[in-house]
Amino acid sequence: MKVNVVSSKLIKPCTPTPPNLNKYKLSFLDEKFPPMNAGVILFYPPISTPTNIIPKQTRIHHMRQSLAKILPRFYILAGRYIKNENAIDCSDQGVLFIEAEAVGVELIDLVKNRQGELLNDLLPSKFHQVYETPTDPLLSIQITHINKCGGLVISVTVSHRIFDASSLETFISDWSNAASSNNNNNNNNNNNNTTIISPTFETPTLFPGTNPGPDDRPLPFTPPDPCIVMKRFSFDKDAIRSLRSKFNISRVRAVCAVIAKAMMGVDRSRGCVVSQLVNMRGRTTPPIPKHCCGNLTLLALTRCLSVAELTTNDIGFEELVSILGEGLDKAIADCAEMFSPSGRGWQNIFFSPLVSLFESLSSGEVSLMTFSDWSKFGFYKADLGWGETPVGTGIGVYPRDKSVVLMDNKEGDGIEAWVCLNRDDMAYFEQHEDIKLYTNGL
């Protein structure tokens, strides 16, 4: 497959950002993130009705127009990060909109294989390609036409400095609503039942920043490792049903336990800590709104599993489920305590797991697994104006060893696990008995 860029344009909000919103200070959580991107890839089939063929440029114009329409609500995305001020200059500089063409590939093959290296070519910017200069766009979108079949790939990447995956879903959902609404209006269709999305940007108020210096960030950036590969493992509804019937747990906890156990079998020369990211929205008191944008995740850590436990294979599946669950339950309880006047305080709640993690990792004798759950996000519902929703989703290669992102399958009854591992370790991982039993490695 070869991807050729056809055009590149900055899309600006359809109305100017008010002067009182021109400066957006980062929150405490935003400040702690290393420079990296978050992103998602959506695969769209050719338009299914031959009588309703929409020319390429009509679709592109429609997407640009609907994007400009929602940017006033997501004004910080059209701004630029000013590093020495720990702030976003929201002067409507624009988001990057790239149009490209892919040759030598069929959409059906891309969706079936969805290999990491191929997916990277469909991203407007890779996870580690963040320069944080005053001219670097915070949001980039790439529309790739699959010339052979008429399919389309839409990829969106955003700076993790200001957005997490839940925020990205809020943006894509609102873009989808705007695009679908425009299309309904153009077709005189009054049956528009889309849910109104009202994004908020209150994280700097909830968690005020501290204006750290350049050497005062507790989450160091890990340079991309060229030996890391990514592979998709599909847990279908039958596998999920089997796991849940045995242990009476959620599908996410079941999948995490299967993957964690297999990863522990790959490297038994070191101890292990498992980190799961918990979305704080809806879990605090009072609850943070679902569409509050920013970085709003809390680390849920397991206890450090010793080399002795790993080498003697003492940890059974049920015990591992319990270990993972204890970490999650504690983090969820911490969310509820976050704003309590009699609690430990939100800074202490955030720093405690970080301090614990760095103490475990500092010796080099403990490895880290990281799980991110995207399975409840509605990426498969994104209709960007021509009546089609994605037939597949994906991410690019996340260049961090032992990292896993969980996403829904198209049907919504299974989970696709995007697993990043060292190339040599991946060969052992995919041969683990539970991975072979419960998944289709693709």
Side-chain angles (χ1 to χ4, degrees):
M1 179 182 75
K2 184 177 181 182
V3 177
N4 301 313
V5 173
V6 174
S7 67
S8 180
K9 182 177 182 179
L10 289 174
I11 306 298
K12 300 187 177 185
C14 63
T15 57
T17 297
N20 65 307
L21 298 178
N22 280 159
K23 186 65 66 72
Y24 177 85
K25 293 292 289 184
L26 297 185
S27 74
F28 176 83
L29 283 72
D30 298 333
E31 290 175 345
K32 307 311 171 192
F33 263 86
M36 59 184 291
N37 290 315
V40 67
I41 304 170
L42 310 175
F43 298 87
Y44 289 85
I47 294 174
S48 55
T49 308
T51 57
N52 190 33
I53 296 175
I54 303 174
K56 281 183 185 180
Q57 289 310 308
T58 301
R59 283 196 284 179
I60 292 294
H61 174 75
H62 182 74
M63 282 187 278
R64 287 174 175 168
Q65 188 179 50
S66 56
L67 176 60
K69 179 181 176 180
I70 69 164
L71 281 178
R73 295 196 287 275
F74 293 90
Y75 64 98
I76 69 170
L77 294 179
R80 297 294 183 267
Y81 174 51
I82 308 302
K83 198 170 188 177
N84 60 1
E85 297 181 18
N86 292 293
I88 307 300
D89 173 22
C90 304
S91 299
D92 302 332
Q93 293 91 332
V95 305
L96 183 62
F97 190 98
I98 298 170
E99 184 181 2
E101 294 181 343
V103 296
V105 69
E106 294 271 8
L107 182 75
I108 189 172
D109 296 326
L110 270 179
V111 173
K112 181 179 179 181
N113 296 321
R114 282 184 267 177
Q115 296 175 3
E117 297 306 320
L118 285 177
L119 297 185
N120 270 0
D121 292 337
L122 298 169
L123 289 169
S125 54
K126 298 178 179 60
F127 287 118
H128 59 278
Q129 286 183 327
V130 181
Y131 307 107
E132 296 194 326
T133 69
T135 59
D136 199 21
L138 297 173
L139 177 74
S140 300
I141 297 169
Q142 181 168 314
I143 314 297
T144 305
H145 303 280
I146 310 298
N147 284 349
K148 269 193 171 184
C149 62
L152 203 66
V153 182
I154 299 178
S155 304
V156 184
T157 59
V158 65
S159 170
H160 220 323
R161 176 72 64 207
I162 55 170
F163 261 37
D164 59 12
S166 180
S167 307
L168 180 61
E169 185 222 7
T170 290
F171 167 78
I172 291 176
S173 295
D174 200 28
W175 187 19
S176 171
N177 287 351
S180 301
S181 175
N182 284 351
N183 192 49
N184 288 334
N185 291 338
N186 291 339
N187 292 326
N188 296 317
N189 183 351
N190 295 320
N191 297 320
N192 183 15
N193 296 317
T194 55
T195 302
I196 301 299
I197 291 175
S198 300
T200 62
F201 297 89
E202 60 207 80
T203 51
T205 302
L206 296 172
F207 308 106
T210 58
N211 296 313
D215 300 321
D216 189 28
R217 299 188 191 278
L219 295 178
F221 175 65
T222 303
D225 183 347
C227 295
I228 301 299
V229 296
M230 181 180 71
K231 192 164 185 178
R232 177 171 58 99
F233 294 87
S234 178
F235 293 76
D236 63 23
K237 64 178 181 181
D238 293 330
I240 298 291
R241 186 185 300 115
S242 174
L243 285 165
R244 295 191 67 186
S245 66
K246 292 177 183 177
F247 301 102
N248 191 29
I249 53 177
S250 73
R251 60 179 189 152
V252 170
R253 291 198 186 192
V255 168
C256 286
V258 170
I259 294 172
K261 187 164 178 60
M263 279 191 180
M264 289 172 185
V266 167
D267 181 7
R268 296 181 178 177
S269 63
R270 296 183 292 170
C272 176
V273 172
V274 181
S275 166
Q276 301 165 90
L277 294 177
V278 173
N279 186 351
M280 293 191 293
R281 297 167 182 86
R283 290 190 163 116
T284 59
T285 304
I288 296 173
K290 176 182 179 181
H291 297 303
C292 181
C293 295
N295 287 296
L296 287 165
T297 54
L298 185 65
L299 281 181
L301 297 179
T302 65
R303 65 176 175 82
C304 184
L305 304 174
S306 68
V307 174
E309 289 177 288
L310 299 180
T311 52
T312 57
N313 205 26
D314 279 345
I315 302 176
F317 186 84
E318 191 168 2
E319 183 184 358
L320 184 55
V321 167
S322 177
I323 291 170
L324 294 174
E326 287 172 6
L328 273 176
D329 292 342
K330 182 182 183 306
I332 291 170
D334 284 343
C335 287
E337 187 189 348
M338 191 74 65
F339 303 128
S340 171
S342 58
R344 291 174 292 152
W346 59 263
Q347 285 187 319
N348 183 282
I349 289 173
F350 279 119
F351 272 120
S352 290
L354 286 175
V355 171
S356 173
L357 178 61
F358 291 145
E359 286 177 352
S360 297
L361 299 179
S362 61
S363 66
E365 297 178 358
V366 174
S367 66
L368 173 68
M369 296 181 203
T370 303
F371 288 85
S372 297
D373 177 19
W374 297 14
S375 64
K376 297 179 181 66
F377 298 156
F379 293 126
Y380 275 107
K381 299 177 183 177
D383 169 11
L384 289 170
W386 57 93
E388 298 284 356
T389 54
V391 293
T393 64
I395 60 174
V397 176
Y398 184 60
R400 183 171 293 175
D401 194 21
K402 297 185 176 68
S403 61
V404 182
V405 174
L406 305 180
M407 302 180 77
D408 268 334
N409 63 359
K410 170 65 175 173
E411 295 73 25
D413 55 12
I415 287 181
E416 294 182 339
W418 297 85
V419 179
C420 292
L421 277 171
N422 179 279
R423 192 182 308 274
D424 294 333
D425 291 341
M426 182 67 81
Y428 288 99
F429 173 83
E430 59 190 349
Q431 293 303 314
H432 189 277
E433 58 182 356
D434 288 338
I435 296 299
K436 293 170 74 173
L437 176 61
Y438 292 113
T439 78
N440 297 314
L442 301 169

